[in-house]
Each structure stands twice: as structure tokens, then as C-alpha cells.
Amino acid sequence: MIGPFLISIFSGAIHSGTPLLYATLSEAVGERTGIVNLGLEGVMLIGAVVGFTTTVQTGNPFLGVLAAALAGGLFNMVFGFLVITRRANQLASGLALMFCGVGLSAMIGASLIGSRIEGLNEIQIPLLSGIPVIGRMFFNYDILVYSAIPVAVLVWWLMFRTRWGLSLRAIGENPTAAFAAGKNPHRLQYQALFIAGILGGIAGAHLSLAIAKTWAEWMTAGRGFVAVALVIFSKWHPIRAIAGSLLFGGAISLQLQMQARGVPVSSFLLDMLPYVLSLVVLAIWSGARRHAAPGSLGRVFQGTE
Amino acid sequence: MNRSPLLTLRSMTKSFPGVLANDHVDLDIYGGEVHALLGENGAGKSTLMKILYGFYRPDSGEIRLNGQPVHIRSPHDARQFRIGMVFQDFVQIPAMTVAENITLFLPDLPFVLNQASIIKRIEEVSERYGFKVNPHAPVWRLSVGERQKVEVLKLLLADARILIFDEPTRSLAPHEVDGLFQVFANLKRDGYALAFITHKMKEVLACADRITVMRRGKVAGTIKGSEATESSLIELMFGKQIEEALGRRGETPADGRKPLLELKGVNTRSEGMAWGLKDVHLIIKPGEIVGVAGVSGNGQKELGDVVLGLEKCTKGVKYLHGEKYTDWSVAQVRESGVAFIPEDPLGMAAFPWLSVQENMAMVNTRMYSKQGGLSMDWQAVRSDLQASLERLEFNIPPFYVPLGFLSGGNIQRMILAREMAHHPKLIIAFYPTRGLDVQSANSARRILSTSRDQGAGILLISEDLGELFNLSDRLVVMFQGRIVGESTPQEISMNEVGYLMTGSKGENKKSD
């Protein structure tokens, strides 16, 4: 009894952790360049609904993922225009973007409520997936799960091993210094936000195309905000984000499993589990001395006289 | 030898809100020369050079490179023309390593960075010029002097041909200054053009081929280094003779008075590469100036912070006005009559986007509040600030502009005026004359010695040994967080202090 329970919690953690990882990477890329995007939830919803609609219409979930990624990137450009070009307040713009995403996705998805798709199917790795227990735990997922960790490594590599990533981080730390070094802070921030949008869109697509395989209004249920907390937990580092996402995915999975098994705890309390965990994380990590927050987080380069 | 200028600036004009920083300035810079820009604070030297580097856009004027008009709209453009600049406030990213900071600055790198080869280049160049900097160290761990070396390394590695230095020697130890001038000489020989902003007369005379003196946004004159004398330069700078600094008072009447401040066996946490305090005992009596000598990063900052209460003691006890104050808050300490002039005024004592008068009121909000805090008595703020500035004989800038618009020296003046406004009993002064020109530095010193004569105790932390010897009644020397020597200026020579500062404990004691 305990064995299968643990296995389903584990595979649930990986399933639920995957969109969280994409979303956390999205937020981390943005924040490394100094931009807090509280609109991530909205970006994910846009990704989810565009991916779902595209899949319903074309029958091809891969096209759905592609469309979701593009839609996420473009939606983030709206945010970019506000906070980079118009220098609007990041927190207010982010929240507005979130609500805008909620409304827009509900409108696009209104006619699709209840429709089901085949979505992204599990790819069973030949031979390996046949191994008892291990096979179910590690080798029986959809493509976005398999690609999640390589994508995290790719983001890390971009950030820490390329000239582009160095400039990006420099802008998040001190845009004036980066400008003085001959970088163009605004252009780099747009680029970072576009990539962040792509990742956010994929996060949403995984929810609608692989996990739920259906569309429901506000189906992200706050995962975008959990990702904002996860960025802090992972100290703005893509590799640490993998561990953080698994932990939170585990919390979500535990909650779902307990509800499914009718554990006599109020379902409202269980629903809160991942968010209570977020609060705990923020309480523990935020106070630490010298945590790795980018030095200029939340501020946009104002240019010089 | 080619004697047409490499770089020509014609009629450069730039204004900021309330200030005309550059007023039709002309300047020629030749290849293979060190060109010094000399002038008071706020004379417009930094502004002019920042225009040249594309950091500011001029209101009007023309820049020509090799006779060709060029438009420099951003540092990126400037770097295309191989112009590089070492800023007064370093533009570095503390969270990143030395190598990352330098890499960020290098043009034309491949998309995927080869960090090993960059680090090798850094090591090569730094070895050639005798700069010992660890490329893997994060910049926040470096001392000011080391950070400057990183800036110079950046330019050398980025292959700039015109190098601008904004007060490069401000925080270097004397032998490092000599090293820098040696670098200047080597670069000059290779045909580089060097522009160098300073207000230290001796340095100008030591290394400049030509000297342009600026005064109030205009060029007061350009003369050859070989023909310049100290008095001719001072005349150009101020247009009038200025009096000598006040001499130091001989006797120390503070003896026998009760201590104003006493530290007993104080330790602090050490952070990064900086030294925490170790078993520091210090007494300051009313009416004396205690000077703290030491190479920067040996615990002077921590000492000042501990006295004000910014830093907590991990061990030891502090007494102020005879009371134990180990656990007082900074606000309590300040209200008991302690003034603080920090190491980095813009970062630690000022709010750049608040106006001058708001900055003034900031440390005394309780005193200036009216109707139980519902409104502020700005009239009183302004008159106190004005009175204090007049006592210091400083010029008075408009009070309504954001403090960040003022020049570095003017910000230092405002902080001095603010801290001295309410006749403090204890003054903690970090490099109080750093960034000030000769005249303002003299009035700042004068106000310190006057306060001392009126019974204030002063903790003076400075890198300028001349200043310390000139002002202090007692001297302590810090090395690696400890007080390694204590004496009076009459009983110890500068050389002995120098040896104590560098940890070579008196091997050459009394040799001269």
C-alpha cells in the first residue's frame, strides 16, 4: 500500500514540478536582468489557452507547445513595453498583466471548456520503462518533462557561460555599470523578457496539454506566484530551481494524493499546502545575509542625461 | 613626430538643472602625452570627460578625432573610437568576480566565453604592470585600491587608445601611485593619449606633459607641465591666493578630562576580506582629535561603524558620555550628539533623489518636525544649513535640487555641513577632505579643529598622513583589525607610522 502511494507521489511531483520549473526559469531570467514579473501567472494562462486551442484545431500538440511559447513571449513584450520603454512600475504592471492574462485566456478558452484532447502523451523509453518501479518513476513521462532539466541546464549555460548572459546579469546588478561597459540595457532586457515569456508559455502549455488535457479558467491556480517564491528559494540560480520545483511539485502531488485517498483533513487546508510552503520558504530564505538577489532588482535603467 | 592633436573638443557646453557644468570648453589631447585636467570640485572636469566618453550628451559642441568630426552618443560609441574611462565612482558590479567584470567590458568576444583565456590575459597584463589582483575574487571583497586596478586593467585589456582617468590616485597608497605613474609613462611611450583628472597639485607636476586648468565650467588656461609651478597653477585654479592651512595646536588640554568615548576590548565580525576588529581599546576625550592611520581595509571602517552603532560588537563594551551604550540604536547615539561623516557619502549618508534640504533634515527629522510630526519646519532646516555652510565657508548650491545632481565634492560639502550643523559632541569623520579641493579641504580641517577647541571629541580616519599629523592630538595605527600603535604626532615619525600600517613592526624603527 505504501509503495504505490510513494511512487504516485514521486511521479506526481515530477509532473507538477515540471510547469513550476519552466515558470521558475522564466521568472529567474527576468529577475536576473532586474525585472520582477508578477504577471507570470497571466503569461502561463495565455500559454495554456493558446496551446490548447491550437492543439484542438490542428490536432498536433507539438504545434500547440510552439504556439504557446510564442504567445507567452509576445505577451511578455506587452509587459516589456510598459516597464522598459514606458518605465512603468514593475509591480503594478505585473499585476495588471496577470489579470489581463486571466481575462483574455478565459475569453479565448470560453468555447473550449469541457473539450478534451489527447494532448502530449507519455513517451515510454524502450526497455527502461519496463523496469518495475524505476520504470514508472523515471521513464514514463511526456516530452516536456524530459526536456525540463536540459532546458534548465541550457538556461544556466546561457546565463553563466555566454557573453549575452554575462551582460544580462550585469544589467540586473547594476545597469549603469553595464551601460558604461557599452551594453544596451533596454535591448537586453527585452530579449530576456522574450525568452522568459517563451518559458512561461511552455509552463502553461504543460498544464493544459500534458497534465489536465483540458482547459479550465484560471487553471494555473497561483502556480505563477509560487514560481516567484521559488526563484528566491533557488537563489536566482537555474540549477537550484530544479530542486525547488521538485519540492513544490511534491507538495502539490502530496495534496492531490491525499485528497484522492480521502484523508480526513479539510480539503481547503490541503489546497493551501503549496502556498503555505511558499510562505515558509520566503520567511526562511529572505532574511538570510547576502542572499543572491540581483542588486538592481525592480528598477529599470533610466538612461543618462 | 605628429603634432596635430589626436582629439579635439570645441565649444563643449553642458548644463544640468541649476548648473552650467561646461561653458564653451575647448581642449586638445595629443597622442603620447599625459594631459592633466586640474580644477576645484564642480569645475566641470568630470562632466567634460564623461561627455567625451559618451556618458553624457553635450548640449552643443564638436568632438573631432584625428581631425574627423565624430558623434559620441553612448559609451558604446566611445569604445568604438577606442576611448576608455576609469570613473571616479567605479562602475563595477560587486556581486561578480574580477574576471567577469573585466569580461563584461571587453568588445568582440565570441558568444560562448572562453573564461580560461580571459583569465590568462588578465594575469599577463596585471603581471606586466605589477597589479596583483586575483581574477576569481568577487569585486565586493576588494579594497578601493584594488578595485581601481581592476578598472585600469579593463581599459588595458579592452585596447583603448585614449585613456581617461577620473581622479585615479584618490585612494591609492603612495607606492601604488608611483606604480600608476610608471604605467602612465609606459603607455605614453607606446603612443597612448592619457587624460587625467585630479586636484592634487603634486601629482600634476610629477607626471603631466600638459595641464589644463578649469574653473567654474570654463578653461582657465593650458600650460606645459615643464613650465608649471605650484603657485601658477593655484592662481589659475582660484584666481586668487589662498591662505595656508591652520597649523596644529601643540598642547593637549584633553588630559585629565573624563573620556567622551571609550571602547573596551571590542571585537566585531569580519566580513569577506575586510578585517573585523580584534580587542580594540580606544579612548577619546573631549577636546581632542584622535587620528586613525592605516591602509584601507584594515578595520578603520569597522571602527567608525562600531562607534556609531552600525556594527554590533561581538565582544567588548562601549561607553559614551560615561554611559554604557553597547546596545544603543543608531538613532539614540546620533541624538546624544554624535556626527558621522562616512567613507562613501553618496552611498551611506545621502539620498540622491531627495532634495538638498530633505537630505539635510533626514538625520534630524524629530528635531524639525512640527505639530507632533504632521509637518516639517523647512524654514529652520534651510537656515541651519545656510548657517553651517557659511561657518564652513562653502558655496551654497540651490536647496531644492536633488542631491544626486551635485558633484562629488559638493555632496561631500553638504554632508559636512549637515553633520556639523548642530555642534556635535563627538564627530566620526571618514576621509572628511576626500574629493574636496584645496580651499574646501582647508575649511573642513579648520572646522574640525575649531570644534575640537570648543570641546568636541573627534575620531578622524584618513589615508592622508599629512592631514593626520597636521590635525591629530593623538594617533593610533590600525593593522588587520588591531590597534598596533598609539602615539602623538610629535613622538612618532611618518615613516614609523608607515611601517606600522604595513605590518612590518618597526624593523626600521627610528632609522631616521
Side-chain angles (χ1 to χ4, degrees):
Chain A
M1 184 63 206
I2 280 297
F5 180 65
L6 284 182
I7 292 173
S8 44
I9 287 197
F10 183 83
S11 62
I14 290 190
H15 264 125
S16 313
T18 297
L20 279 180
L21 179 54
Y22 284 111
T24 306
L25 291 174
S26 164
E27 188 68 23
V29 169
E31 291 196 13
R32 275 283 183 176
T33 187
I35 297 177
V36 180
N37 186 358
L38 292 184
L40 178 58
E41 180 95 358
V43 176
M44 287 170 74
L45 281 167
I46 292 290
V49 78
V50 169
F52 190 76
T53 312
T54 311
T55 308
V56 167
Q57 276 168 8
T58 64
N60 185 341
F62 297 100
L63 271 181
V65 173
L66 195 68
L70 264 178
L74 291 176
F75 197 55
N76 240 6
M77 290 299 92
V78 177
F79 182 61
F81 176 75
L82 285 172
V83 300
I84 301 170
T85 304
R86 300 302 311 149
R87 296 174 193 170
N89 179 287
Q90 292 182 5
L91 304 185
S93 308
L95 289 173
L97 189 80
M98 191 267 292
F99 284 112
C100 192
V102 171
L104 195 59
S105 63
M107 193 180 85
I108 297 172
S111 60
L112 298 169
I113 293 179
S115 37
R116 294 198 58 89
I117 50 164
E118 208 173 306
L120 289 168
N121 287 320
E122 277 85 32
I123 302 171
Q124 279 145 11
I125 308 240
L127 299 178
L128 293 176
S129 61
I131 306 171
V133 183
I134 307 257
R136 248 205 86 198
M137 281 172 78
F138 292 100
F139 302 109
N140 191 18
Y141 297 105
D142 61 85
I143 179 106
L144 286 178
V145 174
Y146 291 127
S147 64
I149 288 178
V151 165
V153 174
L154 179 71
V155 168
W156 167 83
W157 180 81
L158 274 173
M159 268 188 193
F160 290 92
R161 283 292 176 268
T162 67
R163 181 169 46 96
W164 181 80
L166 180 65
S167 314
L168 201 81
R169 285 184 292 132
I171 286 159
E173 291 289 344
N174 183 348
T176 314
F179 179 63
K183 310 294 172 199
N184 182 337
H186 288 174
R187 191 170 66 206
L188 277 153
Q189 284 179 322
Y190 267 115
Q191 290 168 351
L193 275 189
F194 189 71
I195 289 177
I198 287 177
L199 291 165
I202 293 177
H206 190 253
L207 281 174
S208 65
L209 298 183
I211 296 181
K213 301 191 179 183
T214 181
W215 163 253
E217 277 181 29
W218 207 327
M219 66 187 301
T220 49
R223 282 177 176 78
F225 289 97
V226 170
V228 175
L230 263 175
V231 169
I232 297 166
F233 175 80
S234 57
K235 296 189 175 172
W236 291 264
H237 198 288
I239 304 298
R240 284 200 205 96
I242 299 173
S245 307
L246 267 181
L247 181 66
F248 274 75
I252 294 174
S253 165
L254 181 70
Q255 162 227 333
L256 291 174
Q257 289 292 330
M258 283 165 84
Q259 276 181 10
R261 274 152 209 264
V263 176
V265 177
S266 160
S267 67
F268 296 110
L269 276 178
L270 288 175
D271 279 343
M272 280 166 59
L273 197 61
Y275 311 104
V276 171
L277 192 58
S278 303
L279 288 178
V280 171
V281 159
L282 288 172
I284 294 174
W285 264 263
S286 303
R289 276 168 86 96
R290 289 211 78 88
H291 63 94
S296 184
L297 193 60
R299 267 168 273 159
V300 163
F301 182 53
Q302 298 286 327
T304 51
E305 295 283 322
Chain B
M1 192 158 177
N2 180 12
R3 281 285 79 180
S4 70
L6 183 58
L7 192 74
T8 321
L9 302 179
R10 283 292 170 268
S11 206
M12 306 306 294
T13 302
K14 174 74 184 172
S15 60
F16 294 109
V19 200
L20 185 56
N22 282 163
D23 185 4
H24 296 89
V25 174
D26 296 342
L27 184 73
D28 295 322
I29 296 176
Y30 294 86
E33 76 162 5
V34 177
H35 194 124
L37 274 175
L38 186 68
E40 275 197 282
N41 288 121
K45 308 168 304 249
S46 277
T47 304
L48 184 66
M49 289 297 109
K50 282 181 178 169
I51 290 173
L52 180 55
Y53 188 58
F55 208 74
Y56 294 144
R57 257 83 52 204
D59 300 340
S60 66
E62 191 189 40
I63 302 175
R64 266 175 282 160
L65 189 67
N66 285 322
Q68 301 295 314
V70 292
H71 290 282
I72 302 177
R73 277 180 232 91
S74 69
H76 185 78
D77 291 351
R79 305 228 338 261
Q80 298 288 303
F81 299 120
R82 297 178 68 191
I83 299 170
M85 178 157 183
V86 176
F87 286 95
Q88 192 174 340
D89 315 303
F90 304 131
V91 275
Q92 286 169 349
I93 296 164
M96 294 189 171
T97 67
V98 170
E100 283 179 321
N101 267 283
I102 292 176
T103 308
L104 188 63
F105 191 78
L106 299 181
D108 308 324
L109 288 177
F111 183 73
V112 182
L113 299 169
N114 182 347
Q115 282 161 325
S117 88
I118 293 165
I119 286 170
K120 194 158 159 266
R121 275 178 70 198
I122 293 171
E123 280 167 349
E124 276 167 14
V125 176
S126 55
E127 209 158 303
R128 181 155 16 116
Y129 293 111
F131 285 168
K132 286 213 175 59
V133 178
N134 173 10
H136 302 284
V139 162
W140 59 267
R141 290 191 169 199
L142 304 185
S143 71
V144 181
E146 286 170 316
R147 292 182 64 177
Q148 165 141 59
K149 288 174 189 165
V150 175
E151 286 294 298
V152 179
L153 276 173
K154 265 192 199 170
L155 294 191
L156 296 180
L157 262 79
D159 224 20
R161 168 170 63 139
I162 298 164
L163 308 179
I164 307 164
F165 291 84
D166 194 352
E167 295 194 40
T169 58
R170 190 170 51 149
S171 48
L172 296 187
H175 70 275
E176 289 175 319
V177 172
D178 294 341
L180 183 68
F181 288 169
Q182 191 54 49
V183 174
F184 280 9
N186 293 343
L187 292 169
K188 191 167 85 176
R189 209 168 36 233
D190 296 344
Y192 288 85
L194 296 119
F196 156 52
I197 300 173
T198 187
H199 21 244
K200 290 183 189 158
M201 212 83 66
K202 277 194 192 115
E203 289 171 358
V204 172
L205 293 167
C207 79
D209 298 306
R210 284 191 316 133
I211 302 160
T212 293
V213 181
M214 290 190 71
R215 188 165 77 214
R216 289 168 200 219
K218 293 183 180 177
V219 171
T222 299
I223 45 181
K224 280 189 178 162
S226 52
E227 290 163 9
T229 63
E230 210 157 308
S231 64
S232 67
L233 290 176
I234 287 183
E235 210 175 297
L236 279 174
M237 276 171 81
F238 301 106
K240 61 180 190 271
Q241 293 292 327
I242 56 163
E243 70 245 67
E244 274 295 293
L246 284 190
R248 199 180 47 78
R249 201 179 40 169
E251 81 278 30
T252 48
D255 292 347
R257 296 201 206 176
K258 268 175 49 188
L260 186 62
L261 172 86
E262 187 168 6
L263 303 183
K264 278 187 182 164
V266 166
N267 284 23
T268 65
R269 206 195 332 256
S270 62
E271 212 174 286
M273 298 252 285
W275 292 91
L277 299 182
K278 287 194 204 80
D279 195 30
V280 166
H281 294 263
L282 182 75
I283 290 179
I284 298 178
K285 292 178 177 171
E288 71 168 351
I289 297 181
V290 176
V292 180
V295 177
S296 74
N298 274 287
Q300 302 96 310
K301 179 178 178 298
E302 288 72 13
L303 180 64
D305 288 355
V306 132
V307 172
L308 186 67
L310 284 172
E311 181 99 22
K312 295 263 169 271
C313 311
T314 51
K315 230 172 94 182
V317 204
K318 309 185 286 185
Y319 296 91
L320 185 65
H321 320 298
E323 269 180 81
K324 187 172 161 189
Y325 82 113
T326 317
D327 297 319
W328 285 16
S329 71
V330 175
Q332 281 173 299
V333 175
R334 271 190 173 279
E335 267 168 37
S336 76
V338 175
F340 184 65
I341 302 156
E343 180 174 26
D344 164 19
L346 197 51
M348 290 211 33
F351 306 88
W353 291 104
L354 297 186
S355 71
V356 169
Q357 63 178 9
E358 284 167 330
N359 267 282
M360 176 68 192
M362 191 57 73
V363 293
N364 277 305
T365 43
R366 191 172 304 182
M367 175 175 172
Y368 290 121
S369 62
K370 286 195 305 196
Q371 294 149 3
L374 291 176
S375 75
M376 293 281 286
D377 188 355
W378 292 111
Q379 200 94 45
V381 174
R382 278 191 291 271
S383 65
D384 281 358
L385 182 56
Q386 184 125 10
S388 182
L389 283 165
E390 277 165 9
R391 265 203 308 280
L392 285 157
E393 298 165 37
F394 288 164
N395 289 327
I396 297 164
F399 289 168
Y400 55 84
V401 299
L403 191 77
F405 281 135
L406 303 185
S407 72
N410 267 334
I411 291 172
Q412 179 77 332
R413 287 197 190 97
M414 297 315 297
I415 299 303
L416 265 172
R418 179 179 81 188
E419 296 297 326
M420 301 305 292
H422 301 291
H423 304 284
K425 295 193 193 91
L426 176 68
I427 303 162
I428 308 162
F430 278 100
Y431 318 116
T433 58
R434 176 189 277 183
L436 295 184
D437 56 70
V438 183
Q439 206 164 19
S440 304
N442 277 346
S443 27
R445 291 190 191 115
R446 201 175 308 120
I447 206 83
L448 285 179
S449 63
T450 313
S451 309
R452 179 254 320 264
D453 294 344
Q454 290 165 357
I458 298 168
L459 180 67
L460 173 66
I461 296 162
S462 175
E463 278 168 345
D464 182 346
L465 281 185
E467 176 173 290
L468 284 174
F469 270 79
N470 200 14
L471 282 172
S472 306
D473 299 301
R474 272 191 306 129
L475 272 174
V476 297
V477 185
M478 295 201 71
F479 180 67
Q480 299 190 343
R482 295 175 188 277
I483 290 182
V484 292
E486 183 170 349
S487 185
T488 63
Q490 293 90 333
E491 288 162 4
I492 191 166
S493 74
M494 279 204 199
N495 267 21
E496 278 176 85
V497 171
Y499 285 117
L500 286 170
M501 278 164 63
T502 49
S504 48
K505 283 175 190 151
E507 281 137 293
N508 289 296
K509 216 171 188 178
K510 297 281 175 198
S511 66
D512 53 348

